Amino acid sequence: MTDPTRRILVGRIHGGFGVRGELKLESFTEPARAILGYRPWTLRAPSGAEREVAEARGRENAKGLVLTLPGVEDRDTADAMRGTEVFVPRAALPPPQPGEYYWVDLEGLRVVNTEGADFGHVAYLFSTGVNDVLVARGERERMIPFKQPDYVVSVDFDAGVVTVDWDAEF
């Protein structure tokens, strides 16, 4: 189901916070503060340069997460990190509960409907606020509500297939 060497994007630095080198951190985890428990981090700067960080500290404030990193001690250094992405090894994430999935684990799986029509592969998922949506790309792109068991009938990681109850013509 998962590649232990795969890295998962879990956050992004949005620049400096204050004058002591603290950083504004956008977390893609749920809850947002969960990002602080995953290690090690690989930081990828917008230039593509990467470095591993094991010692990051953070806290919540009214506007989100504030991060402290070793070697970042002033506002200029913090601002220079704007756009830096935070990755963790997929193996650092806890196993999902039964019936729950990490979106990243679904990406790349083949999508077929209950009649056997091939819809291509899971390209990505996104949230609308009401429900999540699976985007399947094959001969064309389809957006399928990720509602179990209404539209998503099964997820079989061993076979690499997501089966959906969705009209091939829709």
Side-chain angles (χ1 to χ4, degrees), residues 67-120:
L67 178 67
T68 303
L69 293 175
V72 181
E73 299 173 3
D74 60 52
R75 177 70 183 223
D76 291 338
T77 305
D79 279 339
M81 295 188 70
R82 184 181 314 274
T84 296
E85 297 174 319
V86 179
F87 291 85
V88 297
R90 169 58 183 87
L93 303 177
Q97 298 296 318
E100 293 183 353
Y101 309 98
Y102 286 114
W103 288 0
V104 70
D105 293 341
L106 298 170
E107 292 172 358
L109 296 181
R110 196 165 53 95
V111 181
V112 298
N113 74 358
T114 53
E115 287 80 43
D118 189 341
F119 289 177

Side-chain angles (χ1 to χ4, degrees), residues 5 15-16 21 23-24 38 57 65 67 74 78 93 96 105-106 136 152:
T5 63
L23 301 150
K24 293 181 279 189
Y38 304 136
R57 293 189 334 265
L65 294 174
L67 178 67
D74 60 52
L93 303 177
D105 293 341
L106 298 170
V152 176

